[in-house]
Amino acid sequence: MKVSETFELSAPAMIAAPTQWFNILHHLPEPLPEVRDPEDGKASRIETMQRIRLKMTEDHDNAAGPWVPIPKPVLTQYQAIGRPTPLYRARGLEKYLGTPARLYFKREDRLPTGSFKLNSAIAQAYYASQEGVTGLITETGAGQWGHALAYACSIYGLKSVVFWVKVSQEQKGYRSALAQMLGATIHPSPSTLTLSGQTVLANDPASPGSLGTAIGDAIEYAMAHPDYRYVSGSNLPHVLLHQTVIGLETKAQLAALDETPTRLIACAGGGSNLGGLMGPFLPEKYARGDDLRLIAAESDAAPRLTCGEYRYDHSDPAGLTPLTLSYTLGMDYMPPASHVGGLRQHSGSAVIGVLRRRQLLEAYAYSQVEALQAGRLMVETERILPAPESCHAVQAVIDAALEAKRSRRSEVIVSCLSGDGAFDLNGYKAILGV
Ligand SMILES: *Cc1c(COP(=O)(O)O)cnc(C)c1O
């Protein structure tokens, strides 16, 4: 009997934790398109961002070699939060679907804040502590990022200030309470603390807020507080870099199990869990072509990769960030209200844009009903409750597993379970009526 047959579910115990991040930029088929400033006569967005961001951002967004060492203290924290996370084989789901495919889920939902966001939050808070800043400022939509940042800042004795889209902060009251217990100062956005928030409130005192108002609040607040820095939880190359621990561990775990993946699947919002899972597999993708398919699952409420245009656009709806080349629905696009806050951006990461443009990445869009039904099936067959965002990836896994059944191919389908759904049960209740 092979070791892998005996120890399948404890694969993490058999791999060593990665000690370096994988530099996706170095492995892209072309250089990452540069960011630009719009020619609108207003202050340079590039310079503003440089001023309010950590120095690490600049270093990691321009890293040159194939690898970036993970600082020792970050490795220690990764271990403390439970990395390497398990690579879990979903035999219950396989059996239910009657598929010959083997289905593996990388369990990022098992991290203490219930999502993969902690991988970058810990790295960013560590560098902030080294750069001697007082605290970090950010915005959050669905709340996983704000929660992760609060957790990470509390490790390093940093303050955290989170501008939380008002309607979502009300919906996610429990998550917000926990972030507060972790020491975060939370401001519902639009806030009364900034001019941009005051302007929105003057026009509409009952404004529910949006990612745009929250970014506006956070950037303006950061400009007024020079001992703080402004950080982001997705989209940018440095965030994707930190998330490559997901793919590196998965690669080692699959090797330990003697498995060769045929499909990698992740949900796509800003693209950081997708980039983190798939980045380290790029050299293998180039070598194996269609034998290794990379698949993005997006929300049909913001179908950028399936319906968007490839062009320069701001990544925030208020136009405060530089212009980035990627797939976009246009910064005026207002996604319909939905319970999948993490996938509702109008544009995405430039890195993901290059992969899609080069036809290395397939994309499919799912409705929130389809997605949450897939989540319910995970509960019924695996007793695992995925976050609504992760449910999109689960639905893509189900599609791939059924395709393998029809064509009788023995696929190895590996996906990222980006988060846990316990804080999102209101969404499950509202949509599925459970
Ligand atoms: C933030 C989030 C996402 C989407 O972000 P990406 O950067 O696209 O990965 C997906 N799932 C969960 C659980 C999240 O918290």
Side-chain angles (χ1 to χ4, degrees):
M1 187 189 280
K2 286 188 304 187
V3 170
S4 60
E5 283 164 20
T6 322
F7 287 96
E8 197 156 41
L9 291 182
S10 41
M14 299 188 295
I15 65 153
T19 57
Q20 307 184 84
W21 288 302
F22 180 92
N23 185 10
I24 303 174
L25 301 179
H26 182 86
H27 295 88
L28 284 180
E30 62 188 68
L32 194 69
E34 51 170 27
V35 296
R36 292 184 187 160
D37 265 322
E39 289 169 13
D40 59 0
K42 294 192 194 156
S44 161
R45 319 297 204 277
I46 296 174
E47 280 167 26
T48 303
M49 285 297 148
Q50 274 170 350
R51 190 146 50 87
I52 63 177
R53 286 195 187 278
L54 293 165
K55 192 185 149 310
M56 168 277 293
T57 315
E58 180 98 4
D59 298 343
H60 285 183
D61 284 352
N62 296 292
W67 299 95
V68 175
I70 306 176
K72 273 255 159 56
V74 173
L75 285 175
T76 307
Q77 287 307 327
Y78 279 174
Q79 195 178 12
I81 60 171
R83 304 216 69 88
T85 55
L87 183 68
Y88 175 87
R89 178 153 170 209
R91 290 180 189 274
L93 184 61
E94 287 171 15
K95 191 163 167 229
Y96 173 86
L97 298 172
T99 178
R102 296 191 286 286
L103 311 180
Y104 289 96
F105 288 92
K106 181 64 170 162
R107 298 291 305 273
E108 297 299 300
D109 61 312
R110 298 270 295 263
L111 296 179
T113 62
S115 92
F116 73 100
K117 295 266 186 352
L118 205 46
N119 302 325
S120 185
I122 284 177
Q124 298 202 46
Y126 165 75
Y127 285 104
S129 74
Q130 296 303 292
E131 292 181 30
V133 308
T134 305
L136 295 175
I137 299 164
T138 199
E139 72 280 333
T140 196
Q144 288 105 330
W145 169 244
H147 179 189
L149 191 72
Y151 185 107
C153 282
S154 88
I155 295 173
Y156 294 103
L158 296 166
K159 295 201 174 356
S160 53
V161 179
V162 180
F163 290 91
W164 199 313
V165 178
K166 187 169 160 213
V167 56
S168 146
Q169 196 232 342
E170 287 161 2
Q171 275 171 2
K172 310 280 165 100
Y174 293 132
R175 194 185 282 285
S176 165
L178 182 49
Q180 232 160 333
M181 287 167 70
L182 287 164
T185 304
I186 292 170
H187 301 295
S189 174
S191 90
T192 53
L193 299 176
T194 67
L195 212 59
S196 74
Q198 290 160 9
T199 310
V200 177
L201 288 172
N203 288 329
D204 175 11
S207 166
S210 66
L211 209 52
T213 68
I215 293 176
D217 272 326
I219 290 180
E220 190 182 327
Y221 192 88
M223 284 166 71
H225 294 81
D227 52 334
Y228 282 68
R229 292 291 180 278
Y230 169 68
V231 293
S232 300
S234 182
N235 200 308
L236 297 166
H238 61 274
V239 181
L240 272 64
L241 174 82
H242 305 153
Q243 294 299 352
T244 58
V245 289
I246 300 173
L248 291 167
E249 289 176 12
T250 302
K251 223 166 147 39
Q253 286 164 327
L254 287 168
L257 295 168
D258 238 337
E259 289 280 38
T260 307
T262 59
R263 299 191 199 208
L264 300 178
I265 295 176
C267 63
S272 65
N273 90 91
L274 187 152
L277 173 69
M278 299 182 195
F281 287 88
L282 280 178
E284 193 175 329
K285 170 68 185 165
Y286 300 142
R288 294 177 54 211
D290 286 345
D291 290 343
L292 176 61
R293 290 169 58 186
L294 309 183
I295 297 168
E298 60 181 6
S299 161
D300 74 353
R304 295 142 304 153
L305 294 172
T306 49
C307 304
E309 286 174 45
Y310 192 60
R311 64 172 166 85
Y312 270 97
D313 197 5
H314 297 284
S315 56
D316 70 293
L320 298 170
T321 53
L323 297 168
T324 305
L325 182 60
S326 193
Y327 286 86
T328 179
L329 296 164
M331 57 187 281
D332 299 331
Y333 181 79
M334 270 303 271
S338 95
H339 286 274
V340 285
L343 305 183
R344 287 179 72 234
Q345 298 88 335
H346 71 272
S347 78
S349 157
V351 174
I352 307 302
V354 168
L355 298 181
R356 177 79 175 138
R357 184 73 173 173
R358 287 296 195 110
Q359 301 184 334
L360 294 161
L361 180 68
E362 299 165 44
Y364 303 94
Y366 297 101
S367 74
Q368 66 171 343
V369 176
E370 279 176 293
L372 290 174
Q373 279 168 349
R376 177 187 212 154
L377 189 59
M378 277 296 269
V379 174
E380 291 166 356
T381 59
E382 296 292 344
R383 297 154 301 280
I384 291 171
L385 176 69
E389 292 87 356
S390 319
C391 288
H392 293 67
V394 174
Q395 182 56 47
V397 168
I398 293 171
D399 282 353
L402 292 176
E403 209 179 292
K405 179 178 176 179
R406 283 192 296 273
S407 60
R408 298 204 178 81
R409 271 201 319 268
S410 96
E411 305 262 0
V412 176
I413 299 167
V414 181
S415 77
C416 183
L417 199 65
S418 58
D420 177 89
F423 283 120
D424 304 286
L425 278 166
N426 277 333
Y428 274 89
K429 277 177 71 173
I431 303 302
L432 301 181
V434 289

